[in-house]
Amino acid sequence: MDIPLALAWIREIAAAVEREQARLTELDSAIGDGDHGSNLSRGFTAVLPALDALAPASVGAVLTKVGTTLISRVGGASGPLYGSAFRAMGKELPGERATTAELGEALAAGLAALRELGGAAPGDKTIVDAWAPAVAAFTAAADHPGADHPAADLPAAAKAAADAAAHGAEATTALQARKGRASYLGPRSIGHQDPGATSTALVFQALATVTA
Amino acid sequence: MDIPLALAWIREIAAAVEREQARLTELDSAIGDGDHGSNLSRGFTAVLPALDALAPASVGAVLTKVGTTLISRVGGASGPLYGSAFRAMGKELPGERATTAELGEALAAGLAALRELGGAAPGDKTIVDAWAPAVAAFTAAADHPGADHPAADLPAAAKAAADAAAHGAEATTALQARKGRASYLGPRSIGHQDPGATSTALVFQALATVTA
Amino acid sequence: MKKLINSPDTVLTDALAGFAAAHPELTVDLGQRVISRRARPAAPKVAVVSGGGSGHEPLHGGFVGPGMLDAACPGEVFTSPVPDQVLAAAQVAHSGAGVLLVVKNYTGDVLNFRLAAELAEEEGIEVRTVLVDDDVAVQDSTFTAGRRGTGATVVVEKAVGALAERSAPLAEVAALGERVNAASRSFAIALTAATVPAAGKPGFDLPDDEIEVGVGIHGEPGRRRERLRPARELAAEVVDTVLADHELAAGDEVIALVNGLGGTPLIELYVVYGEVAARLAERGITIARNLVGNYVTSLDMAGFSLTLTKADPHLLDLWDAPVATPALRWS
Amino acid sequence: MKKLINSPDTVLTDALAGFAAAHPELTVDLGQRVISRRARPAAPKVAVVSGGGSGHEPLHGGFVGPGMLDAACPGEVFTSPVPDQVLAAAQVAHSGAGVLLVVKNYTGDVLNFRLAAELAEEEGIEVRTVLVDDDVAVQDSTFTAGRRGTGATVVVEKAVGALAERSAPLAEVAALGERVNAASRSFAIALTAATVPAAGKPGFDLPDDEIEVGVGIHGEPGRRRERLRPARELAAEVVDTVLADHELAAGDEVIALVNGLGGTPLIELYVVYGEVAARLAERGITIARNLVGNYVTSLDMAGFSLTLTKADPHLLDLWDAPVATPALRWS
Ligand SMILES: Nc1ncnc2c1ncn2[C@@H]1O[C@H](COP(=O)(O)OP(=O)(O)O)[C@@H](O)[C@H]1O
Ligand SMILES: Nc1ncnc2c1ncn2[C@@H]1O[C@H](COP(=O)(O)OP(=O)(O)O)[C@@H](O)[C@H]1O
Ligand SMILES: [Mg+2]
Ligand SMILES: [Mg+2]
Ligand SMILES: [Mg+2]
Ligand SMILES: [Mg+2]
């Protein structure tokens, strides 16, 4: 991944968030407080000009900027969580380009950061339930000879990650929430897809889209 | 009219108010504040025991008791208005029985009292628009030789009054209110029948019923 | 009908019982339905008494206490109190300097308070009455019931209450009340209708995109219906409507009350207040004092009313005077 | 959606502008979205700062003033403020004796305030945090987000605010806040859902005869649905639910808050308070102090919450201490 691709990825996430904003809010109304869509929309609407103003020297600079912007604009649970994840990814990618393997490690670092901050484990019906399988699928697909060559099957890894994230998000429907607002519903949280896991699926689908 | 007949009249009014309570409130919701039915119901629910506790020495004693009870129990515009009307009628009938002519004068005194207190003229879309024609019809029907004999065609006079009151109440639909809460609606008060005129029609219909 | 009540016919009794439990500093006569101060005045003072139909809480009971009312008599929901009840309130509040009745101009209130005043006079209690009629939605005319009394009631009761504490004579307190009322105008917009418990359903049906303009506080429909519009436009229309009927000139100061009708949350009232303040500033009128909140409500009706009272130093001094009631307190 | 707003995305900005216009005694930074006292403390004192999503008015901005909060930072509707904003509030309020953050226990609030606390510490501001988690509708467990913070926030903020005025050190003020929170439990019932402006429709649909029991203040549905029942039964259920999770014994005194959720008129809240007081009396518990009104709302949601805080002489003394804020004032 190089800097232009990183920028394209983020812009695609922003576009996807706009497209899916209503649905995200709808999901959050069912088991949360009905603002996940507007929260992310507010965040990425601020991210775009922030990136335009930026002359990034590295892939990481792009992702770090996304993280800090989300943290200082979103609020709610998703702001610090996504923000910390992108900041952590940014730290991992100091170069002008990143190999697919390096990107995989960055995605893993992002997962570690949001797990550390939010304390959620897989199965708690959160962002983690989409992000964790996505990272696993990405690394599995990326992990083979040739991966050290920058563009090496990034498309394949991204596609695998996107499918895994989407799958993980859908799988949250069956779960009872143990973290976040949905946990207040106890058993009533079962049967609804988690908004945050759903937006995470958008993040990975965006990566697949721009790398395809 | 003798004391038992006076008591029967009031009890018939009370029964009619209970029957029509919902409709009176409905009418008052359209151009007032939706409480005329419950106001009168509260009033006559208090009147009945008050009459039971009373050993009336005159027809007037019965009507005066009705008036004072309505004043001290109803509140709203209709309480003082009906209360003063019944009190004024009571003053006119000191005897154990009243001729139809005397009753006619009493009904006229009631009208004078509520017009004096409320300041409404015919055509203002109020109680007056049912009570005034009722008095006129009653006196016309009662006013002929023989009227000094107690029971003389009281039925006929009461029937004529009831019809005139009902007619007057219906005629309020076309009027724009100039008094009472409905006057706040200005032109929008046109097209709705006045609740107070409607309850006055019940008062005269009750007289016709018990004398028939 | 969705309400936190036990039954439509016990609403008032139950609410009064709760009010009594919540405010030990007040005396609540549940039989007579009279709310009064527990502490009697040290020296005789004009007793300020008000009342009217219930459903407008905190009006009037919430304004009983030092600096404002001496007693209040709540009638049934949207129904004025009966004369005996008003008389009882006047009797308990009377401390030898006469009684001022603050009456909102509705036929029912006017008639019942008039009969009560007669009874009180018969008992040798000197009584004066101030009629509040500030609602410009209603044309004033001697051939009609005249303008309704709404939000200005709070300003009148605060002012006369403060003057009465300074042991001014009855005539002076009554005259002030009339002046404050004359200097006040109000106008209201409703987004939903109020549901009278006894009626069981809203007083009128309002489509999802329509509002009642010039609505009353008893669920009386307004003078016309309009499309719901942004708060800025509604506030501007309300300000302009009030000013059109008000002898206010650029440079004047006002006390402004942005009042919630019961079902509208505070965040919306602040949005409206901001727009009202902006519009008044355009017109060169300064808000010297303000209240934003639910003071003269109409059960669960959503909407707001604006009351503007022309202010002068004397009125502001009375407004700033200490008050300690359930709904209004400062020192 | 029927609201007195200009547009869903300007609700907070517009409401803050109105709040600023209505309360000249406070400073409102419209850019940073920070509400603070205009008057700086004479001597350094612990700065009490709170904040959270908007839509709960008067919480938190309405509690800024002498005797309570030094600053508040309102987030978007139902969304916690961002760290920068919390930091700005801490900076403006800090007078040299440290900052106490009063945080309602929601993931978003906890995370954003935690990041803000780190930033403040980096700037050399001593920070302590009190987490409010009083809602017994939510089971407490380390495996979940834990109980929500609701009505107890008012009691905690009043108590710590009063202690801070007495220039107690940060550790002591924080410890008090934790004690008051630990002594508090709440439970809420909703008759209707709140409508988030950005969402445009109610968070959940509730049939005309059903209520949400154990509802949150962010339109989160409750733990179950029930038939609407008389206020007496609902109050009894709420009291019993709160007591079941509370170490209160007969003879104990409490501060009781019967809180409206935004769309419920005061007359109904008094009905509920009467029933609550009666039920507590049966259980031998005395209400030493009470509040009845809208303090921690959920936009236009109809319903109420009950908060019971075990009272001791020290807490009552702090409760009675003078307070002068838009929403709470006595002396
Ligand atoms: N502790 C946590 N760890 C990871 N993700 C979480 C956690 N708590 C909540 N989330 C995610 O945040 C989402 C809600 O985000 P959002 O609605 O923007 O914030 P809020 O709940 O404060 O309104 C949830 O759907 C869930 O996926
Ligand atoms: N000035 C008046 N003179 C005669 N009747 C009146 C007057 N004002 C009101 N009314 C009658 O009172 C009726 C309303 O009574 P009610 O609803 O019980 O009192 P309120 O209007 O105080 O709620 C009206 O329909 C009208 O007929
Ligand atoms: Mg949310
Ligand atoms: Mg009526
Ligand atoms: Mg009435
Ligand atoms: Mg939120």
Side-chain angles (χ1 to χ4, degrees):
Chain A
M1 167 178 281
D2 58 8
I3 295 175
L5 181 60
L7 290 167
W9 177 27
I10 303 306
R11 297 209 169 90
E12 177 56 28
I13 296 175
V17 163
E18 283 318 305
R19 279 198 307 272
E20 300 295 317
Q21 175 177 355
R23 178 157 156 270
L24 294 173
T25 287
E26 182 93 31
L27 292 172
D28 196 36
S29 297
I31 56 172
D33 59 352
D35 62 1
H36 188 52
S38 42
N39 286 350
L40 291 187
S41 159
R42 188 170 55 254
F44 281 93
T45 309
V47 161
L48 296 183
L51 290 183
D52 296 340
L54 189 77
S58 67
V59 170
V62 173
L63 304 184
T64 303
K65 187 56 159 184
V66 171
T68 52
T69 308
L70 291 179
I71 288 176
S72 61
R73 290 311 190 81
V74 174
S78 57
L81 289 164
Y82 275 122
S84 309
F86 275 93
R87 259 167 54 179
M89 290 193 285
K91 272 221 199 68
E92 298 287 314
L93 306 171
E96 286 185 27
R97 18 178 35 50
T99 65
T100 302
E102 288 167 343
L103 181 55
E105 278 149 28
L107 293 168
L111 173 63
L114 72 86
R115 284 195 59 168
E116 200 283 326
L117 182 64
D124 286 352
K125 198 176 183 116
T126 72
I127 290 174
V128 172
D129 293 308
W131 199 297
V135 170
F138 187 98
T139 343
D143 178 13
H144 64 70
D148 49 319
H149 176 287
D153 49 36
L154 175 51
K159 175 85 174 61
D163 295 346
H167 198 274
E170 282 153 27
T172 60
T173 305
L175 298 173
Q176 170 167 343
R178 274 191 300 264
K179 282 279 186 277
R181 228 175 265 286
S183 68
Y184 304 142
L185 286 175
R188 278 178 78 182
S189 63
I190 297 170
H192 302 274
Q193 185 167 321
D194 178 63
T198 308
S199 54
T200 294
L202 298 179
V203 168
F204 284 93
Q205 179 51 54
L207 183 60
T209 304
V210 295
T211 55
Chain B
M1 167 178 280
D2 58 9
I3 295 175
L5 181 60
L7 290 168
W9 178 26
I10 304 306
R11 296 208 170 90
E12 178 55 29
I13 296 174
V17 163
E18 283 318 306
R19 277 197 310 271
E20 300 295 318
Q21 175 175 355
R23 178 158 157 268
L24 294 173
T25 287
E26 181 95 29
L27 291 172
D28 196 36
S29 296
I31 56 172
D33 59 352
D35 63 0
H36 188 52
S38 42
N39 286 350
L40 291 189
S41 158
R42 187 170 56 254
F44 281 94
T45 309
V47 161
L48 295 182
L51 290 183
D52 297 341
L54 188 78
S58 68
V59 171
V62 173
L63 304 184
T64 303
K65 187 58 163 183
V66 171
T68 52
T69 308
L70 291 179
I71 288 176
S72 60
R73 290 313 190 79
V74 174
S78 56
L81 288 164
Y82 275 122
S84 307
F86 275 93
R87 258 167 57 178
M89 291 194 283
K91 271 220 199 70
E92 296 288 314
L93 304 171
E96 286 184 26
R97 14 174 42 50
T99 66
T100 302
E102 288 166 343
L103 181 55
E105 279 148 29
L107 292 168
L111 174 63
L114 72 88
R115 284 196 58 170
E116 201 282 326
L117 182 64
D124 286 351
K125 197 175 183 119
T126 72
I127 290 172
V128 172
D129 294 308
W131 198 297
V135 170
F138 187 98
T139 343
D143 178 15
H144 65 71
D148 49 319
H149 176 286
D153 49 40
L154 174 53
K159 176 82 172 58
D163 295 345
H167 197 272
E170 284 152 26
T172 60
T173 305
L175 299 173
Q176 171 168 340
R178 275 191 300 263
K179 283 277 185 279
R181 229 175 264 286
S183 67
Y184 304 142
L185 286 175
R188 278 179 79 182
S189 62
I190 297 171
H192 302 273
Q193 184 166 323
D194 178 63
T198 308
S199 55
T200 294
L202 297 180
V203 168
F204 284 94
Q205 179 51 53
L207 183 60
T209 305
V210 296
T211 54
Chain C
M1 170 176 61
K2 263 188 170 178
K3 290 183 185 293
L4 294 166
I5 62 176
N6 288 316
S7 87
D9 21 293
T10 62
V11 175
L12 179 52
T13 327
D14 295 340
L16 277 178
F19 186 86
H23 303 293
E25 73 279 11
L26 301 176
T27 302
V28 179
D29 181 332
L30 296 173
Q32 293 273 22
R33 293 179 168 171
V34 170
I35 297 164
S36 59
R37 303 185 199 177
R38 193 170 288 286
R40 307 280 309 156
K45 67 177 276 293
V46 169
V48 182
V49 174
S50 191
S54 292
H56 308 305
E57 292 65 26
L59 190 79
H60 293 272
F63 298 126
V64 175
M68 214 157 163
L69 300 181
D70 292 272
C73 43
E76 291 290 336
V77 171
F78 291 173
T79 303
S80 68
V82 296
D84 315 33
Q85 194 184 349
V86 179
L87 174 64
Q91 286 167 327
V92 68
H94 185 51
S95 62
V99 174
L100 179 69
L101 299 176
V102 180
V103 182
K104 302 196 295 306
N105 187 37
Y106 298 95
T107 305
D109 297 73
V110 170
L111 299 184
N112 285 280
F113 276 82
R114 185 191 303 164
L115 296 180
E118 286 166 13
L119 298 172
E121 298 277 6
E122 281 166 22
E123 296 197 0
I125 301 178
E126 194 188 356
V127 178
R128 290 288 303 273
T129 298
V130 172
L131 264 193
V132 181
D133 62 342
D134 52 313
D135 186 347
V136 303
V138 174
Q139 265 122 24
D140 195 8
S141 141
T142 47
F143 303 110
T144 69
R147 285 196 309 247
R148 297 177 289 222
T150 61
T153 316
V154 178
V155 188
V156 169
E157 292 179 356
K158 174 65 178 80
V160 297
L163 188 59
E165 297 294 343
R166 299 175 183 182
S167 53
L170 180 57
E172 196 183 313
V173 179
L176 171 77
E178 271 146 25
R179 271 206 312 285
V180 174
N181 175 62
S184 303
R185 297 288 188 278
S186 301
F187 193 73
I189 284 182
L191 273 56
T192 65
T195 298
V196 176
K201 53 190 183 52
F204 50 84
D205 313 308
L206 208 48
D208 253 4
D209 58 346
E210 289 187 16
I211 59 177
E212 280 281 342
V213 178
V215 76
I217 57 171
H218 300 90
E220 310 104 320
R223 291 190 70 86
R224 69 175 185 284
R225 285 187 179 190
E226 282 182 11
R227 278 298 163 99
L228 175 63
R229 286 173 294 144
R232 181 166 301 119
E233 295 175 31
L234 296 180
E237 172 169 0
V238 169
V239 167
D240 296 351
T241 307
V242 168
L243 291 184
D245 198 311
H246 214 314
E247 77 303 327
L248 283 170
D252 284 343
E253 288 195 323
V254 294
I255 296 173
L257 164 60
V258 168
N259 172 63
L261 294 180
T264 288
L266 195 53
I267 189 170
E268 295 181 37
L269 295 180
Y270 276 119
V271 169
V272 170
Y273 182 79
E275 301 300 345
V276 164
R279 186 68 166 194
L280 284 172
E282 284 170 28
R283 306 292 225 86
I285 292 159
T286 309
I287 301 177
R289 303 289 187 277
N290 72 81
L291 281 180
V292 180
N294 297 335
Y295 294 96
V296 181
T297 60
S298 183
L299 292 171
D300 52 353
M301 178 178 276
F304 75 99
S305 67
L306 170 68
T307 299
L308 296 180
T309 302
K310 186 170 194 233
D312 56 48
H314 181 226
L315 176 57
L316 291 179
D317 176 52
L318 293 167
W319 181 261
D320 294 338
V323 59
T325 72
L328 218 58
R329 48 192 314 140
W330 57 70
S331 46
Chain D
M1 168 175 62
K2 264 187 171 178
K3 291 185 185 292
L4 294 166
I5 62 176
N6 289 317
S7 86
D9 20 291
T10 61
V11 175
L12 180 52
T13 327
D14 295 340
L16 277 178
F19 186 86
H23 302 294
E25 72 279 12
L26 301 175
T27 302
V28 180
D29 181 332
L30 296 173
Q32 293 273 21
R33 294 182 170 170
V34 170
I35 297 164
S36 59
R37 305 185 197 178
R38 193 169 288 286
R40 308 279 311 156
K45 67 177 276 294
V46 170
V48 183
V49 173
S50 191
S54 293
H56 308 303
E57 292 65 27
L59 193 75
H60 294 272
F63 297 126
V64 175
M68 215 157 163
L69 300 181
D70 290 272
C73 43
E76 291 290 335
V77 171
F78 290 174
T79 304
S80 69
V82 296
D84 315 32
Q85 193 184 350
V86 178
L87 175 64
Q91 286 167 326
V92 68
H94 185 51
S95 61
V99 175
L100 180 69
L101 300 176
V102 180
V103 181
K104 302 195 296 306
N105 185 40
Y106 299 94
T107 305
D109 298 73
V110 170
L111 299 184
N112 285 280
F113 276 82
R114 184 190 303 163
L115 296 180
E118 287 166 11
L119 297 172
E121 299 276 7
E122 282 166 21
E123 297 199 1
I125 300 178
E126 194 188 356
V127 178
R128 290 288 305 272
T129 298
V130 172
L131 264 194
V132 181
D133 63 342
D134 52 313
D135 188 345
V136 302
V138 175
Q139 264 122 22
D140 197 7
S141 142
T142 47
F143 303 111
T144 70
R147 284 196 309 246
R148 298 177 288 223
T150 61
T153 315
V154 178
V155 188
V156 170
E157 291 178 356
K158 174 67 179 78
V160 297
L163 188 59
E165 297 293 345
R166 299 176 184 180
S167 52
L170 180 57
E172 198 183 312
V173 179
L176 170 77
E178 272 147 25
R179 271 207 312 286
V180 174
N181 174 62
S184 302
R185 295 291 187 279
S186 300
F187 193 74
I189 285 183
L191 273 56
T192 65
T195 298
V196 176
K201 52 191 185 51
F204 49 84
D205 313 306
L206 209 45
D208 253 5
D209 58 347
E210 288 187 14
I211 59 176
E212 281 280 342
V213 178
V215 77
I217 57 171
H218 300 90
E220 310 104 320
R223 291 190 70 87
R224 69 176 185 283
R225 287 188 177 189
E226 282 184 10
R227 279 300 165 97
L228 174 62
R229 286 171 294 143
R232 180 166 301 119
E233 294 175 32
L234 296 180
E237 174 170 358
V238 169
V239 167
D240 296 351
T241 308
V242 169
L243 291 184
D245 198 311
H246 214 314
E247 77 304 328
L248 282 170
D252 284 342
E253 286 195 323
V254 294
I255 296 173
L257 164 60
V258 168
N259 172 65
L261 295 179
T264 288
L266 196 51
I267 188 170
E268 294 180 38
L269 294 180
Y270 276 118
V271 169
V272 170
Y273 183 79
E275 301 300 345
V276 164
R279 186 68 166 195
L280 284 171
E282 285 170 27
R283 306 291 225 86
I285 291 158
T286 309
I287 301 178
R289 303 289 187 276
N290 73 81
L291 281 180
V292 181
N294 297 336
Y295 294 97
V296 181
T297 60
S298 183
L299 293 172
D300 54 352
M301 178 178 275
F304 76 100
S305 66
L306 171 67
T307 299
L308 295 180
T309 303
K310 185 170 197 246
D312 56 48
H314 181 226
L315 176 57
L316 290 179
D317 177 50
L318 293 167
W319 181 261
D320 294 339
V323 59
T325 71
L328 218 58
R329 50 194 310 141
W330 56 70
S331 45

